[in-house]
Amino acid sequence: MTEGISVADFAAGGEHAAHQGDAESERVYAELDRLWARGCQVLGCDFAIMGGAMTWVSERNLVAAISRAGGFGVIASGSMSPQLLSREIQATQAMTTRPFGVNLITLHPELLELIDVCAAHRVGHVVLAGGLPSNTAVTRIKRSGARVFCFAPALGFARKLVRMGVDAIVIEGNEAGGHIGPVSTGVLAQEILPHLTGVPVFVAGGIGRGEAMLAYLEMGASGVQLGTRFVCAHESIAHPRFKRALICAAARDAVASVQIDPRFPVMPVRALSNPATERFVAVQRRVIDRFARGELSQKAAQLEIEHFWAGALRRGVIDGDIEAGSLMAGQSVGFVTREQSTVEIIEELIGQALAALAARGERTSRWTLRAAPALLGRQGARG
């Protein structure tokens, strides 16, 4: 863990406090070190805090900033071509010498070519998302010398991935933003963490404070992944209107997609409710009525429903169209109250975790607020 930070510099809620004793400081500091040592080792970073891969948001600027701050940034490749991904990796490597990863979608038609791009640029970690990967994909990544991370929605799925040779698992609850599964983070953690000990497991979905991060570490997680908390970082290229929408939102505003007919499944996505969300429900009704009248085949109706959100995330994140764009965000959006630097966000999370640990050992401690030392200033220069 980074030299120079002590729990005595932090008070509950991420505030900084006066020194309360070197011994207590070192004890709490060492405990957090111990809890995420495995995660830090597999990632090769100071703090086992992964940045969630968010399309249009998790690009070179934010990814490099998270890694420079001691966390672990992850490029969201989305639908990038191999050529575009190559440029993005090169640009990120030009901004930091710290480790970062690349998230690849298993259903991408050029998945193997994208893996080869990562190998060519010596990317050390590849995160596969979007379903069960093929043995070919996993083997190809491992042959390049990179570590393979995969998402698992259930214990059985996770065990299958471990048998395939995956190096680490990410479990993400439906509190997360973007594409989600049906199970909450807390339930997934209880289902998987006590029984999957052969590889590091990272927990994601709804984590917005250091106390929650600490709780999952104490349950057996090796680290955590956060996405929504980083969207409004200074280094994020998200449009100011997009950021403002998140800053003004409460947890209840981040809702899952509505499906009105099981014959026409809608992939569940969590985003802030806006006029586009309401129009999507109306579009489904109109399309289904046309199908019932025989004006559309079931396949054509399904495609029309799916096409509604085409390009909507870019309209929200890049263009700042908060009326017609998709405002993907997790329920932790309620903890996003202002624009901050990436360093401040990570410092705040660690401070909250350290303060929670300290409070257990010394319930009667009286904390005196004082100015915080700069997190990175104590670490020395970053690449």
Side-chain angles (χ1 to χ4, degrees), residues 312-336:
L313 185 57
R314 189 188 193 284
R315 289 198 296 273
V317 174
I318 303 300
D319 301 334
D321 186 346
I322 61 173
E323 302 290 322
S326 174
L327 308 179
M328 287 189 186
Q331 290 182 324
S332 60
V333 70
F335 302 113
V336 180

Side-chain angles (χ1 to χ4, degrees), residues 269-280:
V269 171
R270 188 173 300 283
L272 300 185
S273 181
N274 68 348
T277 309
E278 299 169 11
R279 286 198 298 275
F280 181 52

Side-chain angles (χ1 to χ4, degrees), residues 103-118:
N103 179 288
L104 302 179
I105 307 302
T106 57
L107 298 178
H108 195 294
E110 297 180 285
L111 176 61
L112 297 181
E113 290 83 354
L114 294 171
I115 291 172
D116 290 342
V117 167
C118 292

Side-chain angles (χ1 to χ4, degrees), residues 231-267:
V231 174
C232 293
H234 292 310
E235 298 89 349
S236 164
I237 65 165
H239 195 283
R241 285 194 294 270
F242 188 92
K243 290 183 179 181
R244 175 52 51 184
L246 268 65
I247 289 169
C248 294
R252 68 178 68 88
D253 298 321
V255 298
S257 307
V258 174
Q259 173 184 292
I260 66 174
D261 191 323
R263 294 174 299 173
F264 299 93
V266 169
M267 185 174 292

